[in-house]
Amino acid sequence: SRRVVRSLPALEGALGDDNSEMQLRTNLFVSLLGVAVVTAYVPLAPSAKSPSLRSGGCASLSTFVPSRQPRHASTPLGMVASISTGEPRQVIDSTERKKDNPAPDAFFYDYPRLCYHADAAFHATLTDLYKELLPSGEETRCLDMMSSWVSHYPTDLSWGRVDGLGLNREELSKNPQLDFYEVRDLNNEPSLPYDDACIDAVTCALSCQYLQQPEAVFADVGRVLKPGGVAIMSFSNRMFPSKATYAWKRRGEGDRLGLVADFFRSSGAFEEPEIIDKSTPLHVLSYWSASLLGVQLTGDPFYAVVARRKKV
């Protein structure tokens, strides 16, 4: 079962007027510090170890929802749709696809946001992962999906062509790593404007939380990838809350990893995904200290789900 953390104003009202806001925040922080210390010594529920893909070559903080479910829960492979049907299995229901702000995404992203959406440590980890997993060379073609003014690709590698899809033309035009770009709203049109099996690698950073038809998008990622091609989906605990789907906001951070892995599984086009979780109990404590006291104790947690296109 899940427990939803109530808002600070509600707690203030329950405790009365004698407690100052700072005292209340301090008390809550000290309590959470004790919880975090205990949590650090409580083993997580076991989960199946995903096969490693590394030997194969080629906004605001989120609402934290504590979960007692095993982290990285996976869907039985028997439930995965056959790739031959061309119809991905639905992972989330119609309610989970909704957002607090139902206006078209084109309105929300109409003006450029030339800023970073995670900290420097997150970006460095992402670049290192790309350097490890992305194929390179003159014959290699990459797609940065839901891109912006930065892609965080390694600067000491080169590719024959890097395409970008995003929602803001000015942001895309300022991205020095893109050779070609196109403005495309994947919630309005959940398909990729590329031929079958023409791309070697697809990346998507800090954006999975906004997809309202993720099964269709991930299935099309499988369509455009060459056999053996790699897809890398990374995220942290930051988001634009009004534009993130309920499927994302109602899950804890570990469960979001399992959710993205299920998006890959839903099409039947990918090998078993690899889950990368570089979070620690200190990240949980840091979230609460930043929320209650305005003090961030450590950087943003790094999560990624990586999968390869089946070769047959």
Side-chain angles (χ1 to χ4, degrees):
S1 62
R2 290 186 171 88
R3 295 181 292 106
V4 178
V5 178
R6 301 299 180 187
S7 65
L8 185 61
L11 287 172
E12 290 174 344
L15 293 175
D17 297 330
D18 293 335
N19 290 297
S20 67
E21 180 176 343
M22 180 53 68
Q23 184 63 46
L24 175 62
R25 289 172 181 264
T26 302
N27 292 342
L28 286 172
F29 175 70
V30 171
S31 299
L32 289 166
L33 176 62
V35 172
V37 171
V38 172
T39 302
Y41 291 93
V42 177
L44 295 173
S47 60
K49 183 176 177 62
S50 300
S52 175
L53 299 176
R54 302 184 185 189
S55 59
C58 137
S60 62
L61 290 172
S62 66
T63 301
F64 176 73
V65 183
S67 173
R68 298 300 182 187
Q69 298 300 318
R71 295 169 69 86
H72 317 157
S74 60
T75 299
L77 293 180
M79 294 179 63
V80 177
S82 168
I83 188 172
S84 62
T85 66
E87 298 179 0
R89 172 182 56 82
Q90 298 303 293
V91 175
I92 58 177
D93 60 35
S94 58
T95 300
E96 292 183 303
R97 300 178 195 279
K98 295 180 180 180
K99 304 179 178 185
D100 288 338
N101 180 355
D105 289 342
F107 296 162
F108 185 82
Y109 297 99
D110 184 53
Y111 64 93
R113 293 177 173 87
L114 303 179
C115 60
Y116 294 105
H117 299 287
D119 64 15
F122 178 97
H123 296 144
T125 301
L126 180 60
T127 299
D128 288 344
L129 184 65
Y130 286 165
K131 187 171 184 178
E132 185 178 357
L133 294 179
L134 289 181
S136 60
E138 293 183 0
E139 302 300 320
T140 302
R141 183 178 180 184
C142 297
L143 167 63
D144 192 25
M145 190 174 73
M146 305 178 79
S147 186
S148 64
W149 69 286
V150 288
S151 292
H152 309 294
Y153 283 15
T155 56
D156 56 345
L157 296 179
S158 61
W159 299 269
R161 171 170 169 167
V162 178
D163 290 87
L165 292 180
L167 276 168
N168 187 278
R169 186 173 302 277
E170 182 174 344
E171 289 185 16
L172 295 171
S173 69
K174 293 181 181 298
N175 189 327
Q177 294 186 305
L178 300 181
D179 298 306
F180 299 90
Y181 63 84
E182 180 175 329
V183 174
R184 194 175 188 86
D185 182 353
L186 292 177
N187 285 331
N188 185 53
E189 191 173 4
S191 61
L192 306 177
Y194 308 107
D195 294 334
D196 295 354
C198 69
I199 292 176
D200 297 279
V202 175
T203 58
C204 181
L206 299 164
S207 296
C208 285
Q209 60 267 33
Y210 307 121
L211 287 172
Q212 291 179 282
Q213 301 183 63
E215 302 94 339
V217 172
F218 276 64
D220 223 43
V221 169
R223 178 186 64 79
V224 303
L225 273 176
K226 297 177 182 178
V230 64
I232 305 171
M233 308 291 172
S234 60
F235 55 92
S236 187
N237 60 0
R238 294 181 179 269
M239 66 180 78
F240 296 118
S242 68
K243 298 304 290 185
T245 64
Y246 293 154
W248 196 265
K249 295 203 296 184
R250 291 173 180 175
R251 285 170 170 80
E253 292 174 25
D255 293 324
R256 291 168 185 165
L257 281 163
L259 182 66
V260 176
D262 271 352
F263 294 154
F264 277 119
R265 296 185 185 108
S266 67
S267 70
F270 296 92
E271 302 290 348
E272 179 63 11
E274 177 189 2
I275 286 173
I276 300 171
D277 180 352
K278 296 194 175 183
S279 66
T280 67
L282 185 59
H283 285 110
V284 177
L285 180 61
S286 182
Y287 167 83
W288 285 110
S289 68
S291 300
L292 299 175
L293 301 177
V295 178
Q296 186 166 340
L297 302 179
T298 190
D300 298 327
F302 182 90
Y303 305 105
V305 183
V306 184
R308 290 193 183 276
R309 178 69 164 82
K310 289 180 178 178
K311 294 184 178 180
V312 293

